[in-house]
Amino acid sequence: MKKNGFGGDDNITLLAKGVHLKGEIRVEGTVRIDGRLEGGIHTKGQVIVGEDGLVQGTVAAGTVVSSGRIKATVNAVERVQLLKTAVVIGDIHTPVLIMEEGAKLQGTTDMGVTAWPEELPKLAGAVRDLASHKAKHALTHEKDVAN
């Protein structure tokens, strides 16, 4: 079976450049948007928004990779990757957010962190006891060597 360029997933839904769709896309595999979508995308797979792509509404996916425009609430179970030409206006909920230099984001991000530990993690070797790490004086002996 021939593998495609979308991570080996044979179920690909394409919204081509020049196509304008109002509604929802619900699939199991990869969705590539090169046109315009007003509505929502729901997949366990990957959503790819091309440079000419525009999504307005909601995006729920395993992974989102964008080089286009998104004005939406984005929920990604695995990660969101914004390539250098990407523009996102909206909220992003994901455990991993990757942004290339040049990508733009206006909105909020939620990476699942609700609190941080009250106590700093302990370092090996009791580094907190600074008194034990004072410089020790070493004695050196010099020998005269006759030539």
Side-chain angles (χ1 to χ4, degrees):
M1 190 178 284
K2 184 179 177 185
K3 296 220 177 206
N4 58 49
F6 301 108
D9 184 359
D10 288 330
N11 183 9
I12 301 170
T13 301
L14 174 65
L15 186 66
K17 184 176 177 177
V19 176
H20 183 169
L21 175 67
K22 289 184 181 183
E24 295 208 353
I25 298 174
R26 292 183 179 271
V27 296
E28 292 293 318
T30 298
V31 178
R32 180 169 177 108
I33 306 293
D34 289 316
R36 181 176 178 155
L37 173 67
E38 290 182 48
I41 302 171
H42 304 275
T43 181
K44 293 178 182 176
Q46 186 176 42
V47 171
I48 301 167
V49 181
E51 275 191 55
D52 296 316
L54 170 64
V55 177
Q56 294 179 296
T58 60
V59 177
T63 301
V64 176
V65 178
S66 179
S67 57
R69 298 171 293 160
I70 299 174
K71 186 174 185 180
T73 299
V74 178
N75 292 291
V77 174
E78 295 175 29
R79 69 182 167 94
V80 172
Q81 183 173 359
L82 303 178
L83 304 178
K84 65 183 178 181
T85 57
V87 177
V88 176
I89 299 172
D91 301 329
I92 296 177
H93 305 271
T94 186
V96 178
L97 175 62
I98 302 165
M99 289 182 65
E100 286 186 354
E101 186 175 339
K104 295 178 176 46
L105 169 62
Q106 176 65 45
T108 61
T109 57
D110 178 357
M111 296 178 73
V113 178
T114 58
W116 57 81
E118 292 300 319
E119 188 174 315
L120 294 174
K122 293 184 180 182
L123 299 175
V127 173
R128 290 181 178 196
D129 183 13
L130 294 178
S132 68
H133 294 284
K134 287 185 180 176
K136 307 245 191 257
H137 294 286
L139 297 175
T140 58
H141 296 283
E142 292 183 20
K143 275 187 167 179
D144 287 335
V145 179
N147 290 338

